[in-house]
Amino acid sequence: MMQKRTLRAAIVTVAMAFAASVSGVGSAHAATVEYWPGKDVTVGSCKGWLNKRTSDGYVQAVAQSWGAGCAFQLQRKRLGTGGYDWTPVSDLYLIKNVQYATGFHWNGTDAGSRVCLFNNDINVSDCGAGAW
C-alpha cells in the first residue's frame, strides 16, 4: 500500500511541475506565445501555422488535422554569408485528428522560419510563408 501512495504522490508531483512549466505558473519569467499571422498553410484537412514567444522571439510550428493523416515540421533558412536554403530544424511529426506543436527554435540573424505540411491522404505538400 505504501508503494502505491508513493508512486501516486510522485505522479502528482511530476504532473504539477509539468503543468507549471507549460503554463508558466509560479514563474516570474512566463512568456506569452502569440500566433504569427499570414504564415499559415492548409493542405486538405491539415493546417499549420507559426507561433512566436514575445519574450525572446523564438518560433514554433503548430499543426492540426481533422480527419487526414498529416506530417509537419518547422524549417529554417539563413541568408548571407554562411547562409543555407530551407532546412528542417524540428522532427517530422505525424498527426491525425489532433493538434500538436514543435519545440521553440531561434531564427537568429538573417534567418527565417516556416511550417511545412504533407497530407498523406491526398499526397500533397505545401509550406507557409517564411517569417523573418
Side-chain angles (χ1 to χ4, degrees):
M1 184 68 150
M2 182 57 101
Q3 288 179 334
K4 285 185 181 180
R5 279 191 204 147
T6 304
L7 179 59
R8 188 175 314 134
I11 291 170
V12 168
T13 300
V14 169
M16 288 172 56
F18 177 75
S21 70
V22 170
S23 67
V25 172
S27 171
H29 303 289
T32 302
V33 176
E34 293 181 343
Y35 161 73
W36 204 330
K39 311 306 176 195
D40 302 17
V41 61
T42 302
V43 180
S45 57
C46 305
K47 181 173 182 163
W49 61 93
L50 294 177
N51 286 339
K52 68 177 173 178
R53 256 187 334 221
T54 56
S55 62
D56 56 16
Y58 278 57
V59 178
Q60 79 176 160
V62 184
Q64 183 172 7
S65 160
W66 57 94
C70 306
F72 79 102
Q73 68 183 187
L74 181 64
Q75 294 185 350
R76 184 174 187 258
K77 178 178 182 173
R78 184 151 187 234
L79 305 174
T81 304
Y84 50 84
D85 204 2
W86 292 109
T87 304
V89 293
S90 76
D91 289 335
L92 182 66
Y93 295 98
L94 304 174
I95 60 172
K96 186 167 184 168
N97 293 321
V98 297
Q99 179 177 308
Y100 197 75
T102 67
F104 283 91
H105 296 269
W106 173 238
N107 269 359
T109 304
D110 294 327
S113 296
R114 70 179 184 179
V115 59
C116 291
L117 289 175
F118 178 75
N119 184 315
N120 296 321
D121 292 0
I122 60 174
N123 199 29
V124 175
S125 64
D126 198 6
C127 297
W132 300 89

